[in-house]
Amino acid sequence: MSKIRAVNPKIAPSILAADFARLGDEVEAVLESGADLIHFDVMDNHFVPNLTVGPTVLDSLRKRFDDAAFDVHLMVDPVERLVEEFLDVGASMISVHPETCRDLEKVLERIGDGGAKVGVVLNPETSETVLASCWDKLDYVLIMSVRPGFGGQSFMPEVLPKLSRVRDAIRRDNRDINIEIDGGISSSTIGAAAKAGAEIFVAGSAIFNSDDYAKTIAELRALAS
Ligand code: DX5
Ligand code: ZN
């Protein structure tokens, strides 16, 4: 019988919704408010229709927050060179979209060899069957619950059956792989995502648009537990 793992939800504020004029202070504020990870969205105006930040910005944040876990979500095509650059500046976790990789297994191997946790991202329309060739290399699967590119979009509940199928496959084979969900996570959607099997919850606008980060993070955590 497969083991039922204790759920210990992790909350990952997405800096996409932070005030970029005060980025370091915003990161400090969410870390002091109980954030487990800092979700770092990298967009290239090519794979997704938006442009954000690159390795130089993570380099500065890493120097200021040497203990923090930076969860880098790469929405860039091609992705290979940026994987190297984000490894160099101390990314703790790196996830890639299979559509951006010439050779997915090779990219995942490189992330793991470089010392970061290894993730694959599934867009809402991407089937979990792409994971078939890479289960052994994965530390986490990131399920998009919006189309990647922008914060503040509405949660897509139609991705939840896929999330549960991924959870079931992980349990069946007793693998040590976490499921992260990204997009439209708020106090009204986090419960359903947790119930379907998510363990790491990215939240941009729900946290950074709130008046009290600690209260919001605690509330999200309680609803996910
Ligand atoms: C979307 C990004 C998300 C985004 C989430 O492409 O990957 O991480 O910042 O923002 P919210 O929580 O506002 O949907
Ligand atoms: Zn993201």
Side-chain angles (χ1 to χ4, degrees), residues 14 16 39-43 71-75 95 97 121 142 144 146 148-149 180-183 202:
S14 164
L16 192 58
H39 187 79
F40 194 95
D41 283 310
V42 183
M43 303 185 184
D71 166 25
V72 176
H73 174 190
L74 293 180
M75 291 162 272
S95 59
H97 289 254
V121 194
L142 173 47
M144 292 306 302
V146 296
E180 178 172 23
I181 188 152
D182 184 5
V202 176

Side-chain angles (χ1 to χ4, degrees), residues 119-218:
V120 161
V121 194
L122 303 182
N123 271 345
E125 64 280 6
T126 304
S127 159
E128 73 277 16
T129 54
V130 300
L131 303 173
S133 63
C134 54
W135 282 116
D136 289 341
K137 300 187 170 59
L138 292 178
D139 295 302
Y140 64 108
V141 177
L142 173 47
I143 308 270
M144 292 306 302
S145 40
V146 296
R147 297 227 155 64
F150 298 94
Q153 303 181 73
S154 299
F155 182 76
M156 297 169 72
E158 57 268 39
V159 306
L160 294 178
K162 175 171 70 182
L163 199 160
S164 294
R165 290 195 299 274
V166 172
R167 176 203 49 197
D168 292 345
I170 291 169
R171 282 189 182 167
R172 190 187 54 232
D173 298 335
N174 228 334
R175 295 183 187 277
D176 189 14
I177 296 175
N178 292 118
I179 302 179
E180 178 172 23
I181 188 152
D182 184 5
I185 290 295
S186 68
S187 56
S188 49
T189 58
I190 196 166
K195 203 164 167 214
E199 302 157 300
I200 305 172
F201 303 86
V202 176
S205 33
I207 293 172
F208 285 105
N209 294 350
S210 77
D211 294 334
D212 185 337
Y213 298 168
K215 192 168 152 232
T216 305
I217 290 172

